[in-house]
Amino acid sequence: MKTPIRDFINEYIESAPLRLHMPGHKGNAYFGFEKFDVTEVDGADDLYGADGIIAESENNASQLFGARTFYSTEGCSLAIKTMLFLAIKHAKETGLAPIIAAGRNAHKSFISAAALIGFDVNWIYSPTEENYLTCKITAKSLSEFLDNQKNTPCAVYLTSPDYLGNVTDVKEIAKVLKARNILLLVDNAHGAYLKFLQPSLHPIDLGADMCCDSAHKTLPCLTGGAYLHLSKNLPENLARQVKDAMALFGSTSPSYLILQSLDILNAYLADGYKEKLLGYVNQVNALKNELLGAGYVLVGNEPLKITVNTKSYGYTGQEFNQVLKNKGLVCEFYDPDYTVLMLTPDVNLERLKNALLSIPKKEKIKTFPPKLNRPIKVTDIRQATLSECEKISVKEAKGKILASASVSCPPAVPILVCGEKIDDDAIRCFHYYGIEEIFVTK
Ligand SMILES: Cc1ncc(COP(=O)(O)O)c(C=O)c1O
């Protein structure tokens, strides 16, 4: 597969021009990679008005993903805002209610989108209420939820895979929503590689109308590289609005380093990645089985994540993380209960296996995360975000209204959403997850 962006930049470098344009480093190696970092010079195309090398590269990605695929150089965060804007625009154009029904474990960028765009959110809670990072939704539970809604939402928004590696049955859910003429939007930030499994588990292949993937999370791409995919079944009119919608939220100076990375990635994915991935997934499955045999309890069904329920193995998530660090392993995420390891075929499984199997199993820790009952909404997300606010200690927050998502990354999943009332449950959860100060409305 061709790499038009990379080829253009290489030719540009070879022609050794006097750079009388941005960026200010002029291609000199202050860091090392500056020569590749250009801007919209003649021939370099324009991400938000692409009709040249970027359009060609996006077409290549579209072929690989079997969708209408668009690049984001500002992560899934930008693609998520764009996707939601398009859904609301579509709702207004077709007379549907500008309401999004969303799984409660949505990432912070969903909350930002609600604050910026101002749509209403109806939260979908898991029937089994696991923890705030997981929201198990089935076709049946979703149908029941929709039957009980006063106003039908224009779209349902799911996060799959979630941070712990749970993959939702998108196929069955898509059937329910098709029958009801409701769009299905999927935050597939953690699942770009699902496209290349056999069979594909990518949300677009399973019936989602739009989804976004962080290429940088699970594929060899620079941080910030992401995709917004539109199903080919969506009206052409929506696809035509993608670039303008993305430009609403994105920087006018997208990174050409990230664009080159996405461009080169197409060639990588087209050239034997599928076979490499399948072989690797088999090895990961074998490793997971060995870990289970050694007494580990693993969570989730995502092929390239190993999520350890550390307390079952005798460690808090923090302690387990420290043990890993002492062995030279740096995990993706840990909290008091879990440690998440993210794999790609570049990760040496033998080294990982030796490290994990050398950790002694200890007596199970029998404490659980505090239960968070369904919070009470006082104002909507936009109103709370725009309100006058102050930072206070969580200890003094009882009865106040949350004004800002108050979560850091990872996992950037809000425990409480802006506009919700802070009660004893929420305070216990904030303390448990190490959040000591929050913004509340004045
Ligand atoms: C579930 C989920 N959605 C969206 C995002 C945002 O992705 P990005 O970092 O590519 O902007 C993240 C980032 O961690 C995430 O975990």
Side-chain angles (χ1 to χ4, degrees):
M1 186 163 268
K2 290 192 177 150
T3 53
I5 305 178
R6 184 77 170 115
D7 297 349
F8 172 83
I9 306 276
N10 275 343
E11 279 169 29
Y12 180 79
I13 293 168
E14 270 166 33
S15 69
L18 185 62
R19 297 190 186 202
L20 301 173
H21 56 75
M22 299 177 221
H25 54 60
K26 306 296 179 189
N28 292 315
Y30 293 89
F31 197 101
F33 50 73
E34 285 85 347
K35 67 177 178 180
F36 300 106
D37 185 31
V38 301
T39 187
E40 289 92 352
V41 293
D42 264 0
D45 209 358
D46 162 16
L47 179 59
Y48 301 128
D51 59 5
I53 54 173
I54 297 177
E56 195 187 325
S57 184
E58 287 182 317
N59 280 339
N60 290 343
S62 300
Q63 269 179 45
L64 283 166
F65 282 92
R68 285 180 282 196
T69 299
F70 302 89
Y71 291 158
S72 159
T73 58
E74 294 169 65
C76 251
S77 301
L78 174 59
I80 286 171
K81 292 181 196 108
T82 308
M83 175 165 85
L84 288 159
F85 177 83
L86 291 171
I88 295 299
K89 197 95 198 285
H90 181 63
K92 297 222 160 155
E93 283 164 7
T94 52
L96 299 170
I99 303 170
I100 307 282
R104 178 66 190 199
N105 60 342
H107 181 262
K108 192 180 181 175
S109 47
F110 175 84
I111 309 295
S112 309
L116 291 169
I117 301 166
F119 53 78
D120 280 336
V121 181
N122 286 353
W123 291 111
I124 311 169
Y125 290 89
S126 158
T128 46
E129 304 283 333
E130 303 232 333
N131 62 58
Y132 82 107
L133 291 174
T134 297
C135 181
K136 286 197 175 144
I137 298 171
T138 61
K140 184 168 175 286
S141 71
L142 184 62
S143 294
E144 284 163 10
F145 169 88
L146 292 169
D147 287 342
N148 290 321
Q149 295 300 293
K150 213 162 64 201
N151 297 311
T152 304
C154 64
V156 165
Y157 178 96
L158 302 178
T159 302
S160 173
D162 67 23
Y163 225 102
L164 299 183
N166 296 292
V167 185
T168 304
D169 188 348
V170 172
K171 194 172 179 179
E172 288 307 308
I173 285 178
K175 284 185 202 159
V176 167
L177 296 179
K178 284 261 159 346
R180 293 176 186 245
N181 195 27
I182 299 173
L183 292 179
L184 174 57
L185 318 179
V186 181
D187 171 354
N188 183 48
H190 290 246
Y193 75 96
L194 298 177
K195 170 71 196 174
F196 303 93
L197 293 173
Q198 201 66 271
S200 160
L201 286 183
H202 194 268
I204 291 291
D205 290 327
L206 301 181
D209 295 292
M210 291 189 254
C211 89
C212 47
D213 317 341
S214 296
H216 69 94
K217 289 197 201 304
T218 59
L219 298 173
C221 182
L222 290 183
T223 298
Y227 308 112
L228 170 60
H229 306 286
L230 267 60
S231 156
K232 288 181 179 161
N233 302 327
L234 275 184
E236 184 55 37
N237 177 34
L238 264 189
R240 271 199 292 270
Q241 299 184 54
V242 169
K243 293 288 182 178
D244 277 356
M246 210 177 256
L248 255 186
F249 306 105
S251 163
T252 51
S253 303
S255 162
Y256 271 80
L257 291 175
I258 298 174
L259 287 174
Q260 283 166 86
S261 188
L262 285 162
D263 188 43
I264 297 167
L265 186 53
N266 290 335
Y268 171 84
L269 294 173
D271 186 21
Y273 172 69
K274 219 176 207 175
E275 294 72 28
K276 197 191 229 182
L277 178 68
L278 296 182
Y280 190 75
V281 165
N282 288 338
Q283 291 173 38
V284 174
N285 284 340
L287 171 58
K288 285 183 180 174
N289 283 333
E290 276 195 69
L291 295 175
L292 294 174
Y296 276 100
V297 173
L298 306 180
V299 175
N301 54 347
E302 193 205 308
L304 289 189
K305 248 187 208 140
I306 296 185
T307 301
V308 180
N309 177 331
T310 58
K311 283 184 179 165
S312 304
Y313 203 67
Y315 300 78
T316 63
Q318 292 93 330
E319 287 165 350
F320 197 78
N321 171 61
Q322 193 53 51
V323 175
L324 290 181
K325 255 167 92 173
N326 294 344
K327 292 177 182 290
L329 272 61
V330 180
C331 72
E332 162 60 24
F333 165 69
Y334 62 90
D335 72 3
D337 301 87
Y338 302 105
T339 296
V340 177
L341 314 174
M342 288 178 76
L343 308 175
T344 74
D346 284 335
V347 174
N348 180 330
L349 289 182
E350 204 50 35
R351 182 167 169 197
L352 175 61
K353 177 170 118 176
N354 291 340
L356 290 176
L357 293 181
S358 70
I359 301 173
K361 186 172 183 335
K362 299 196 297 187
E363 196 171 324
K364 193 172 175 169
I365 300 174
K366 294 190 188 111
T367 57
F368 297 97
K371 200 118 184 78
L372 181 65
N373 287 315
R374 295 182 187 194
I376 297 169
K377 173 180 161 183
V378 181
T379 66
D380 65 32
I381 293 171
R382 184 178 170 87
Q383 202 181 332
T385 308
L386 293 176
S387 66
E388 203 183 339
C389 66
E390 58 182 341
K391 196 175 198 178
I392 62 165
S393 160
V394 164
K395 286 189 209 123
E396 295 153 18
K398 188 170 173 183
K400 307 255 184 199
I401 312 301
L402 193 74
S404 147
S406 304
V407 278
S408 55
C409 196
V413 176
I415 291 168
L416 217 61
V417 168
C418 323
E420 290 175 345
K421 194 168 177 176
I422 300 157
D423 60 8
D424 286 327
D425 276 357
I427 291 176
R428 268 194 294 276
C429 272
F430 281 135
H431 286 314
Y432 186 77
Y433 290 108
I435 296 165
E436 298 303 341
E437 286 191 311
I438 49 175
F439 281 98
V440 295
T441 61
K442 259 188 169 176

